[in-house]
PDB file of all heavy atoms in Angstrom:
ATOM      1  N   CYS A  14      25.524-156.366 -90.764  1.00 98.00           N
ATOM      2  CA  CYS A  14      26.219-156.381 -89.448  1.00 98.00           C
ATOM      3  C   CYS A  14      25.965-155.136 -88.652  1.00 98.00           C
ATOM      4  O   CYS A  14      25.733-155.148 -87.458  1.00 98.00           O
ATOM      5  CB  CYS A  14      27.732-156.580 -89.644  1.00 98.00           C
ATOM      6  SG  CYS A  14      28.177-158.235 -90.170  1.00 98.00           S
ATOM      7  N   ARG A  15      25.974-153.997 -89.358  1.00 97.00           N
ATOM      8  CA  ARG A  15      25.765-152.719 -88.641  1.00 97.00           C
ATOM      9  C   ARG A  15      24.318-152.628 -88.113  1.00 97.00           C
ATOM     10  O   ARG A  15      24.084-151.854 -87.223  1.00 97.00           O
ATOM     11  CB  ARG A  15      26.034-151.527 -89.584  1.00 97.00           C
ATOM     12  CG  ARG A  15      27.513-151.151 -89.669  1.00 97.00           C
ATOM     13  CD  ARG A  15      27.672-149.798 -90.283  1.00 97.00           C
ATOM     14  NE  ARG A  15      27.344-149.834 -91.723  1.00 97.00           N
ATOM     15  CZ  ARG A  15      28.234-149.986 -92.685  1.00 97.00           C
ATOM     16  NH1 ARG A  15      29.514-150.067 -92.436  1.00 97.00           N
ATOM     17  NH2 ARG A  15      27.885-149.994 -93.955  1.00 97.00           N
ATOM     18  N   ALA A  16      23.459-153.497 -88.634  1.00 98.00           N
ATOM     19  CA  ALA A  16      22.041-153.453 -88.201  1.00 98.00           C
ATOM     20  C   ALA A  16      21.768-154.356 -87.011  1.00 98.00           C
ATOM     21  O   ALA A  16      20.665-154.351 -86.455  1.00 98.00           O
ATOM     22  CB  ALA A  16      21.159-153.825 -89.380  1.00 98.00           C
ATOM     23  N   ILE A  17      22.769-155.124 -86.587  1.00 98.00           N
ATOM     24  CA  ILE A  17      22.558-156.013 -85.441  1.00 98.00           C
ATOM     25  C   ILE A  17      22.422-155.138 -84.192  1.00 98.00           C
ATOM     26  O   ILE A  17      23.288-154.316 -83.923  1.00 98.00           O
ATOM     27  CB  ILE A  17      23.736-156.952 -85.201  1.00 98.00           C
ATOM     28  CG1 ILE A  17      23.986-157.766 -86.496  1.00 98.00           C
ATOM     29  CG2 ILE A  17      23.425-157.887 -84.046  1.00 98.00           C
ATOM     30  CD1 ILE A  17      25.256-158.615 -86.399  1.00 98.00           C
ATOM     31  N   PRO A  18      21.279-155.249 -83.470  1.00 98.00           N
ATOM     32  CA  PRO A  18      21.010-154.380 -82.310  1.00 98.00           C
ATOM     33  C   PRO A  18      22.019-154.639 -81.188  1.00 98.00           C
ATOM     34  O   PRO A  18      22.543-155.753 -81.057  1.00 98.00           O
ATOM     35  CB  PRO A  18      19.607-154.794 -81.880  1.00 98.00           C
ATOM     36  CG  PRO A  18      19.040-155.560 -83.024  1.00 98.00           C
ATOM     37  CD  PRO A  18      20.234-156.219 -83.688  1.00 98.00           C
ATOM     38  N   ARG A  19      22.226-153.623 -80.361  1.00 98.00           N
ATOM     39  CA  ARG A  19      23.050-153.780 -79.167  1.00 98.00           C
ATOM     40  C   ARG A  19      22.428-154.844 -78.281  1.00 98.00           C
ATOM     41  O   ARG A  19      21.241-154.940 -78.171  1.00 98.00           O
ATOM     42  CB  ARG A  19      23.069-152.450 -78.370  1.00 98.00           C
ATOM     43  CG  ARG A  19      24.271-151.588 -78.616  1.00 98.00           C
ATOM     44  CD  ARG A  19      24.209-150.329 -77.762  1.00 98.00           C
ATOM     45  NE  ARG A  19      24.505-150.645 -76.351  1.00 98.00           N
ATOM     46  CZ  ARG A  19      25.767-150.631 -75.835  1.00 98.00           C
ATOM     47  NH1 ARG A  19      26.784-150.302 -76.620  1.00 98.00           N
ATOM     48  NH2 ARG A  19      25.980-150.901 -74.602  1.00 98.00           N
ATOM     49  N   GLY A  20      23.321-155.676 -77.675  1.00 98.00           N
ATOM     50  CA  GLY A  20      22.805-156.703 -76.783  1.00 98.00           C
ATOM     51  C   GLY A  20      22.244-157.921 -77.472  1.00 98.00           C
ATOM     52  O   GLY A  20      21.654-158.782 -76.831  1.00 98.00           O
ATOM     53  N   ARG A  21      22.483-157.993 -78.782  1.00 98.00           N
ATOM     54  CA  ARG A  21      22.014-159.148 -79.567  1.00 98.00           C
ATOM     55  C   ARG A  21      23.178-159.672 -80.350  1.00 98.00           C
ATOM     56  O   ARG A  21      24.177-158.971 -80.557  1.00 98.00           O
ATOM     57  CB  ARG A  21      20.929-158.804 -80.522  1.00 98.00           C
ATOM     58  CG  ARG A  21      19.639-158.301 -79.833  1.00 98.00           C
ATOM     59  CD  ARG A  21      18.988-159.424 -79.048  1.00 98.00           C
ATOM     60  NE  ARG A  21      17.639-159.048 -78.631  1.00 98.00           N
ATOM     61  CZ  ARG A  21      16.614-159.099 -79.467  1.00 98.00           C
ATOM     62  NH1 ARG A  21      16.757-159.495 -80.692  1.00 98.00           N
ATOM     63  NH2 ARG A  21      15.405-158.788 -79.010  1.00 98.00           N
ATOM     64  N   ALA A  22      23.047-160.897 -80.862  1.00 98.00           N
ATOM     65  CA  ALA A  22      24.099-161.478 -81.705  1.00 98.00           C
ATOM     66  C   ALA A  22      23.505-162.255 -82.847  1.00 98.00           C
ATOM     67  O   ALA A  22      22.410-162.811 -82.722  1.00 98.00           O
ATOM     68  CB  ALA A  22      25.006-162.400 -80.877  1.00 98.00           C
ATOM     69  N   ALA A  23      24.185-162.261 -83.984  1.00 98.00           N
ATOM     70  CA  ALA A  23      23.710-162.986 -85.178  1.00 98.00           C
ATOM     71  C   ALA A  23      24.723-164.048 -85.558  1.00 98.00           C
ATOM     72  O   ALA A  23      25.892-163.927 -85.184  1.00 98.00           O
ATOM     73  CB  ALA A  23      23.479-162.014 -86.346  1.00 98.00           C
ATOM     74  N   SER A  24      24.285-165.046 -86.275  1.00 98.00           N
ATOM     75  CA  SER A  24      25.253-166.092 -86.714  1.00 98.00           C
ATOM     76  C   SER A  24      25.723-165.747 -88.120  1.00 98.00           C
ATOM     77  O   SER A  24      25.125-164.963 -88.858  1.00 98.00           O
ATOM     78  CB  SER A  24      24.555-167.454 -86.719  1.00 98.00           C
ATOM     79  OG  SER A  24      23.651-167.547 -87.774  1.00 98.00           O
TER      80      SER A  24
END
Side-chain angles (χ1 to χ4, degrees):
Chain A
C14 287
R15 278 195 290 263
I17 304 172
R19 262 182 75 88
R21 298 292 192 79
S24 73

